[in-house]
Amino acid sequence: MSKKMKVLLCLVGFFIATIVLAFSYFYSKETPLSNKIENETTVNETKAEEASEEIEPEPELTETEQLAKDYAEEKYGFEVDVVEDDWAVVGAPDEVIVSPTNNKDISFRVVTDPSNFTVIEDDYHFALEADKEFQKLKPVLPAIGELGFTGVANTDIRISYNHDSVYLFLESKTDVSFENFAEENLDRYYELYRLIRMSEAEIGSYAVAGSKLDEGISLYWDPLAKLYNKEEFLILMKETHKEIINHEIESQYATDVKNLNNDRFNFGNHYDHTYDDPFDSWLYCTEVNEAAECTSAVLSVTYQEDKLNAGNPHLNEDLTSIFTFIETHLEPEIKIEFVYIDGKVPSLEKLEIGYEDRMKYTNVEELIAFLFNE
């Protein structure tokens, strides 16, 4: 290679190295700057969003709500917040629920006349009395929560009142069930009762709602009465909720009933509210004695389609089986006032067999003739 060629190659190499170094320097300076700009932009956007959330205006009050708020603040001398606006039917008074801004334990009603936007009355003095009882209850609220009870719609527990009556609405985190109540639920509900009574809050009743709309337990008592023991409490529960007794009796005779059911009839009514209940109720206690033992009841049976008539050759046999079960398993301790037999599809097919009719017509054939007016 000539000397001139070597010099030329050196110049080219030097030129390329210079370009590489320059590009590296430019990239090292520019990249952090772009990242910084992007980060600052993200932070600024986040702050802007937070700021917009913080300064988001509260919803405007309606004319009725503003009226109630102004009235309460002027009359009682403290600021209030509107908690709820309970719209009534057209023409009826509206109730606006307000709460002192500095005391959320208290809420009271301001009743307004929607026709001329005037205040009719408020019940602040009742709310103050109810709050006294709530303050007594407060120390046991954590223990009530540990039992699986909350306020309505999973909110904090609050006391409700209606003039001079104070009561408590609760929701259960588990289903409210009357089946096997004494074995599975008695301890929990007795402890709830005991906590309320031990707080010395003068609460005359409470209600517990379950996850299903038709589930619930309500209990009423004299808040100044003695504290019931667990056995007395169970009697009180049975007297108030006879479903507990129904399930106990049905459980006792479940095997006998299952063996008695056949292709033509089964105990239980498929068209009442228990249709989707695996424990399809067939007995409904109507009266109890002092020990909460069932003394009177009605019995429900579902019969096959289009066969509730005197021409059915099996009707005599089936009624005899049903009456024999009643006589050998239920009576005389539980008097069956009526036996209701409904057709298997929604129809007008039904029989209502009263106790007196069963006693009068000991011959089932004569009873069938009487029932069908033959």
Side-chain angles (χ1 to χ4, degrees), residues 178-216:
F178 296 115
E179 186 176 351
N180 302 322
F181 182 86
E183 296 81 5
E184 299 177 3
N185 295 294
L186 176 60
D187 290 346
R188 179 171 173 245
Y189 282 94
Y190 179 69
E191 182 63 11
L192 171 63
Y193 160 79
R194 194 189 68 81
L195 287 170
I196 295 173
R197 289 302 312 274
M198 294 297 288
S199 73
E200 298 186 352
E202 293 188 17
I203 298 173
S205 66
Y206 68 78
V208 180
S211 58
K212 299 178 182 178
L213 293 178
D214 60 344
E215 287 183 339

Short mmCIF file of all heavy atoms in Angstrom, two decimals, residues 178-216:
data_model
loop_
_atom_site.label_atom_id
_atom_site.label_comp_id
_atom_site.label_asym_id
_atom_site.label_seq_id
_atom_site.Cartn_x
_atom_site.Cartn_y
_atom_site.Cartn_z
N PHE A 178 -84.67 -19.96 59.45
CA PHE A 178 -85.40 -20.54 60.57
C PHE A 178 -85.18 -22.04 60.67
O PHE A 178 -85.53 -22.65 61.68
CB PHE A 178 -86.90 -20.26 60.41
CG PHE A 178 -87.24 -18.80 60.48
CD1 PHE A 178 -87.75 -18.14 59.38
CD2 PHE A 178 -87.04 -18.08 61.64
CE1 PHE A 178 -88.06 -16.79 59.43
CE2 PHE A 178 -87.34 -16.73 61.71
CZ PHE A 178 -87.86 -16.09 60.60
N GLU A 179 -84.63 -22.63 59.64
CA GLU A 179 -84.37 -24.06 59.65
C GLU A 179 -83.22 -24.37 60.61
O GLU A 179 -82.17 -23.74 60.56
CB GLU A 179 -84.03 -24.54 58.24
CG GLU A 179 -83.88 -26.04 58.13
CD GLU A 179 -83.64 -26.49 56.69
OE1 GLU A 179 -83.77 -25.66 55.78
OE2 GLU A 179 -83.33 -27.67 56.49
N ASN A 180 -83.45 -25.34 61.50
CA ASN A 180 -82.44 -25.71 62.51
C ASN A 180 -81.99 -24.49 63.33
O ASN A 180 -80.82 -24.36 63.69
CB ASN A 180 -81.23 -26.36 61.85
CG ASN A 180 -81.60 -27.59 61.05
OD1 ASN A 180 -82.46 -28.37 61.46
ND2 ASN A 180 -80.97 -27.77 59.91
N PHE A 181 -82.94 -23.61 63.63
CA PHE A 181 -82.60 -22.36 64.30
C PHE A 181 -81.95 -22.60 65.67
O PHE A 181 -80.93 -22.00 65.99
CB PHE A 181 -83.85 -21.49 64.47
CG PHE A 181 -83.58 -20.16 65.11
CD1 PHE A 181 -83.19 -19.08 64.33
CD2 PHE A 181 -83.70 -19.98 66.48
CE1 PHE A 181 -82.93 -17.85 64.92
CE2 PHE A 181 -83.43 -18.76 67.07
CZ PHE A 181 -83.05 -17.68 66.28
N ALA A 182 -82.55 -23.48 66.46
CA ALA A 182 -82.04 -23.69 67.81
C ALA A 182 -80.61 -24.22 67.80
O ALA A 182 -79.79 -23.84 68.64
CB ALA A 182 -82.95 -24.67 68.56
N GLU A 183 -80.28 -25.07 66.82
CA GLU A 183 -78.95 -25.67 66.77
C GLU A 183 -77.91 -24.74 66.12
O GLU A 183 -76.75 -24.73 66.53
CB GLU A 183 -78.98 -26.98 65.98
CG GLU A 183 -79.83 -28.08 66.60
CD GLU A 183 -81.32 -27.92 66.32
OE1 GLU A 183 -81.68 -27.01 65.54
OE2 GLU A 183 -82.11 -28.70 66.89
N GLU A 184 -78.32 -23.96 65.13
CA GLU A 184 -77.33 -23.24 64.32
C GLU A 184 -77.33 -21.72 64.51
O GLU A 184 -76.32 -21.07 64.23
CB GLU A 184 -77.58 -23.55 62.84
CG GLU A 184 -77.42 -25.03 62.50
CD GLU A 184 -77.74 -25.32 61.04
OE1 GLU A 184 -78.03 -24.36 60.29
OE2 GLU A 184 -77.72 -26.51 60.67
N ASN A 185 -78.43 -21.15 64.97
CA ASN A 185 -78.52 -19.69 65.01
C ASN A 185 -78.85 -19.10 66.38
O ASN A 185 -78.73 -17.90 66.57
CB ASN A 185 -79.57 -19.20 64.00
CG ASN A 185 -79.17 -19.50 62.58
OD1 ASN A 185 -78.21 -18.97 62.06
ND2 ASN A 185 -79.93 -20.38 61.93
N LEU A 186 -79.30 -19.94 67.31
CA LEU A 186 -79.76 -19.42 68.59
C LEU A 186 -78.67 -18.65 69.33
O LEU A 186 -78.91 -17.54 69.83
CB LEU A 186 -80.26 -20.57 69.47
CG LEU A 186 -80.69 -20.19 70.89
CD1 LEU A 186 -81.82 -19.17 70.85
CD2 LEU A 186 -81.11 -21.44 71.66
N ASP A 187 -77.47 -19.20 69.41
CA ASP A 187 -76.40 -18.54 70.17
C ASP A 187 -76.11 -17.14 69.63
O ASP A 187 -75.93 -16.19 70.41
CB ASP A 187 -75.12 -19.38 70.13
CG ASP A 187 -75.24 -20.66 70.94
OD1 ASP A 187 -76.19 -20.76 71.74
OD2 ASP A 187 -74.40 -21.55 70.76
N ARG A 188 -76.06 -17.02 68.32
CA ARG A 188 -75.72 -15.73 67.69
C ARG A 188 -76.79 -14.68 67.97
O ARG A 188 -76.47 -13.54 68.35
CB ARG A 188 -75.55 -15.94 66.19
CG ARG A 188 -75.23 -14.69 65.40
CD ARG A 188 -74.86 -15.06 63.98
NE ARG A 188 -74.70 -13.92 63.13
CZ ARG A 188 -75.46 -13.62 62.09
NH1 ARG A 188 -76.47 -14.42 61.77
NH2 ARG A 188 -75.24 -12.55 61.35
N TYR A 189 -78.05 -15.05 67.80
CA TYR A 189 -79.12 -14.07 68.01
C TYR A 189 -79.37 -13.80 69.49
O TYR A 189 -79.78 -12.69 69.85
CB TYR A 189 -80.40 -14.54 67.30
CG TYR A 189 -80.34 -14.28 65.82
CD1 TYR A 189 -79.91 -15.28 64.95
CD2 TYR A 189 -80.67 -13.04 65.30
CE1 TYR A 189 -79.83 -15.04 63.58
CE2 TYR A 189 -80.59 -12.79 63.94
CZ TYR A 189 -80.17 -13.81 63.08
OH TYR A 189 -80.07 -13.56 61.73
N TYR A 190 -79.12 -14.79 70.33
CA TYR A 190 -79.25 -14.52 71.76
C TYR A 190 -78.16 -13.55 72.22
O TYR A 190 -78.41 -12.66 73.03
CB TYR A 190 -79.16 -15.81 72.57
CG TYR A 190 -79.27 -15.55 74.06
CD1 TYR A 190 -80.46 -15.11 74.62
CD2 TYR A 190 -78.15 -15.71 74.89
CE1 TYR A 190 -80.55 -14.84 75.98
CE2 TYR A 190 -78.24 -15.44 76.25
CZ TYR A 190 -79.44 -15.00 76.79
OH TYR A 190 -79.54 -14.72 78.13
N GLU A 191 -76.96 -13.71 71.70
CA GLU A 191 -75.88 -12.80 72.07
C GLU A 191 -76.19 -11.38 71.60
O GLU A 191 -75.88 -10.40 72.29
CB GLU A 191 -74.55 -13.29 71.49
CG GLU A 191 -73.34 -12.43 71.85
CD GLU A 191 -73.04 -12.41 73.35
OE1 GLU A 191 -73.64 -13.22 74.10
OE2 GLU A 191 -72.22 -11.57 73.77
N LEU A 192 -76.78 -11.25 70.41
CA LEU A 192 -77.20 -9.92 69.93
C LEU A 192 -78.20 -9.32 70.91
O LEU A 192 -78.07 -8.15 71.31
CB LEU A 192 -77.82 -10.04 68.54
CG LEU A 192 -78.50 -8.78 67.98
CD1 LEU A 192 -77.49 -7.66 67.81
CD2 LEU A 192 -79.20 -9.09 66.67
N TYR A 193 -79.22 -10.09 71.28
CA TYR A 193 -80.21 -9.63 72.24
C TYR A 193 -79.55 -9.25 73.57
O TYR A 193 -79.85 -8.19 74.15
CB TYR A 193 -81.25 -10.73 72.46
CG TYR A 193 -82.05 -10.60 73.73
CD1 TYR A 193 -83.11 -9.70 73.82
CD2 TYR A 193 -81.73 -11.38 74.85
CE1 TYR A 193 -83.84 -9.58 75.00
CE2 TYR A 193 -82.46 -11.26 76.02
CZ TYR A 193 -83.51 -10.37 76.11
OH TYR A 193 -84.22 -10.24 77.26
N ARG A 194 -78.64 -10.09 74.04
CA ARG A 194 -77.99 -9.84 75.33
C ARG A 194 -77.17 -8.55 75.30
O ARG A 194 -77.18 -7.76 76.26
CB ARG A 194 -77.10 -11.03 75.70
CG ARG A 194 -76.64 -11.06 77.15
CD ARG A 194 -75.60 -12.14 77.37
NE ARG A 194 -74.36 -11.81 76.69
CZ ARG A 194 -73.44 -10.99 77.17
NH1 ARG A 194 -73.61 -10.41 78.36
NH2 ARG A 194 -72.34 -10.74 76.49
N LEU A 195 -76.44 -8.33 74.20
CA LEU A 195 -75.63 -7.11 74.10
C LEU A 195 -76.50 -5.85 74.13
O LEU A 195 -76.16 -4.86 74.78
CB LEU A 195 -74.81 -7.15 72.80
CG LEU A 195 -73.63 -8.12 72.78
CD1 LEU A 195 -73.07 -8.25 71.36
CD2 LEU A 195 -72.54 -7.66 73.74
N ILE A 196 -77.61 -5.91 73.41
CA ILE A 196 -78.51 -4.75 73.39
C ILE A 196 -79.06 -4.49 74.78
O ILE A 196 -79.08 -3.34 75.25
CB ILE A 196 -79.65 -4.97 72.38
CG1 ILE A 196 -79.10 -5.06 70.95
CG2 ILE A 196 -80.69 -3.85 72.48
CD1 ILE A 196 -80.14 -5.44 69.91
N ARG A 197 -79.50 -5.55 75.46
CA ARG A 197 -80.07 -5.38 76.80
C ARG A 197 -79.01 -4.95 77.80
O ARG A 197 -79.28 -4.10 78.67
CB ARG A 197 -80.73 -6.68 77.25
CG ARG A 197 -82.03 -7.02 76.52
CD ARG A 197 -83.07 -5.91 76.67
NE ARG A 197 -83.22 -5.47 78.04
CZ ARG A 197 -84.02 -6.04 78.92
NH1 ARG A 197 -84.78 -7.07 78.55
NH2 ARG A 197 -84.10 -5.59 80.16
N MET A 198 -77.82 -5.51 77.71
CA MET A 198 -76.76 -5.17 78.66
C MET A 198 -76.28 -3.74 78.50
O MET A 198 -75.73 -3.14 79.42
CB MET A 198 -75.59 -6.15 78.50
CG MET A 198 -75.92 -7.58 78.89
SD MET A 198 -76.37 -7.79 80.64
CE MET A 198 -74.78 -7.54 81.43
N SER A 199 -76.50 -3.16 77.31
CA SER A 199 -76.11 -1.76 77.10
C SER A 199 -77.01 -0.80 77.86
O SER A 199 -76.67 0.37 78.04
CB SER A 199 -76.17 -1.42 75.61
OG SER A 199 -77.52 -1.31 75.16
N GLU A 200 -78.17 -1.30 78.28
CA GLU A 200 -79.19 -0.51 78.98
C GLU A 200 -79.80 0.57 78.10
O GLU A 200 -80.46 1.49 78.60
CB GLU A 200 -78.64 0.09 80.28
CG GLU A 200 -78.19 -0.97 81.29
CD GLU A 200 -77.78 -0.36 82.61
OE1 GLU A 200 -77.68 0.87 82.71
OE2 GLU A 200 -77.55 -1.14 83.56
N ALA A 201 -79.60 0.47 76.80
CA ALA A 201 -80.30 1.37 75.87
C ALA A 201 -81.77 0.95 75.82
O ALA A 201 -82.07 -0.23 75.68
CB ALA A 201 -79.67 1.29 74.49
N GLU A 202 -82.67 1.91 75.95
CA GLU A 202 -84.09 1.60 75.96
C GLU A 202 -84.59 1.44 74.54
O GLU A 202 -85.26 2.30 73.97
CB GLU A 202 -84.85 2.69 76.72
CG GLU A 202 -84.51 2.71 78.20
CD GLU A 202 -85.41 3.64 78.99
OE1 GLU A 202 -86.48 4.03 78.47
OE2 GLU A 202 -85.04 3.99 80.12
N ILE A 203 -84.23 0.29 73.95
CA ILE A 203 -84.64 -0.06 72.59
C ILE A 203 -85.68 -1.16 72.70
O ILE A 203 -85.42 -2.24 73.23
CB ILE A 203 -83.43 -0.54 71.76
CG1 ILE A 203 -82.40 0.59 71.66
CG2 ILE A 203 -83.86 -0.99 70.37
CD1 ILE A 203 -81.11 0.17 71.02
N GLY A 204 -86.89 -0.89 72.21
CA GLY A 204 -87.98 -1.82 72.38
C GLY A 204 -88.09 -2.90 71.34
O GLY A 204 -88.83 -3.86 71.50
N SER A 205 -87.32 -2.79 70.25
CA SER A 205 -87.41 -3.81 69.21
C SER A 205 -86.22 -3.70 68.28
O SER A 205 -85.56 -2.66 68.20
CB SER A 205 -88.70 -3.65 68.39
OG SER A 205 -88.69 -2.44 67.67
N TYR A 206 -85.96 -4.79 67.57
CA TYR A 206 -84.97 -4.73 66.49
C TYR A 206 -85.42 -5.66 65.38
O TYR A 206 -86.22 -6.58 65.58
CB TYR A 206 -83.56 -5.07 66.98
CG TYR A 206 -83.33 -6.50 67.42
CD1 TYR A 206 -83.16 -7.52 66.48
CD2 TYR A 206 -83.25 -6.83 68.76
CE1 TYR A 206 -82.93 -8.83 66.87
CE2 TYR A 206 -83.03 -8.13 69.16
CZ TYR A 206 -82.86 -9.13 68.22
OH TYR A 206 -82.64 -10.42 68.60
N ALA A 207 -84.92 -5.40 64.20
CA ALA A 207 -85.22 -6.22 63.03
C ALA A 207 -83.92 -6.52 62.32
O ALA A 207 -83.04 -5.66 62.19
CB ALA A 207 -86.19 -5.51 62.09
N VAL A 208 -83.78 -7.76 61.85
CA VAL A 208 -82.59 -8.18 61.11
C VAL A 208 -83.04 -8.66 59.74
O VAL A 208 -83.86 -9.58 59.62
CB VAL A 208 -81.84 -9.31 61.84
CG1 VAL A 208 -80.61 -9.72 61.04
CG2 VAL A 208 -81.44 -8.88 63.24
N ALA A 209 -82.51 -8.05 58.69
CA ALA A 209 -82.84 -8.43 57.32
C ALA A 209 -81.76 -9.36 56.79
O ALA A 209 -80.58 -9.21 57.12
CB ALA A 209 -82.96 -7.20 56.43
N GLY A 210 -82.17 -10.30 55.94
CA GLY A 210 -81.22 -11.20 55.30
C GLY A 210 -80.97 -10.81 53.86
O GLY A 210 -81.38 -9.75 53.40
N SER A 211 -80.28 -11.68 53.12
CA SER A 211 -79.94 -11.38 51.74
C SER A 211 -81.16 -11.50 50.82
O SER A 211 -81.19 -10.89 49.75
CB SER A 211 -78.84 -12.34 51.25
OG SER A 211 -79.27 -13.69 51.38
N LYS A 212 -82.17 -12.28 51.23
CA LYS A 212 -83.39 -12.40 50.45
C LYS A 212 -84.45 -11.48 51.02
O LYS A 212 -84.54 -11.28 52.24
CB LYS A 212 -83.89 -13.85 50.46
CG LYS A 212 -82.91 -14.85 49.87
CD LYS A 212 -83.45 -16.26 49.96
CE LYS A 212 -82.45 -17.27 49.42
NZ LYS A 212 -82.93 -18.67 49.55
N LEU A 213 -85.28 -10.92 50.12
CA LEU A 213 -86.24 -9.93 50.55
C LEU A 213 -87.26 -10.48 51.54
O LEU A 213 -87.76 -9.76 52.39
CB LEU A 213 -86.98 -9.36 49.32
CG LEU A 213 -86.11 -8.52 48.36
CD1 LEU A 213 -86.95 -8.06 47.19
CD2 LEU A 213 -85.51 -7.33 49.08
N ASP A 214 -87.60 -11.77 51.41
CA ASP A 214 -88.63 -12.33 52.29
C ASP A 214 -88.04 -12.93 53.57
O ASP A 214 -88.74 -13.54 54.35
CB ASP A 214 -89.45 -13.39 51.56
CG ASP A 214 -88.60 -14.55 51.07
OD1 ASP A 214 -87.37 -14.39 51.03
OD2 ASP A 214 -89.16 -15.60 50.71
N GLU A 215 -86.74 -12.73 53.78
CA GLU A 215 -86.10 -13.23 54.98
C GLU A 215 -86.00 -12.11 56.01
O GLU A 215 -85.75 -10.96 55.67
CB GLU A 215 -84.68 -13.74 54.68
CG GLU A 215 -84.63 -15.04 53.93
CD GLU A 215 -83.19 -15.49 53.74
OE1 GLU A 215 -82.29 -14.65 53.83
OE2 GLU A 215 -82.97 -16.68 53.50
N GLY A 216 -86.16 -12.46 57.25
CA GLY A 216 -85.96 -11.45 58.28
C GLY A 216 -86.46 -11.91 59.63
O GLY A 216 -87.31 -12.80 59.74
#
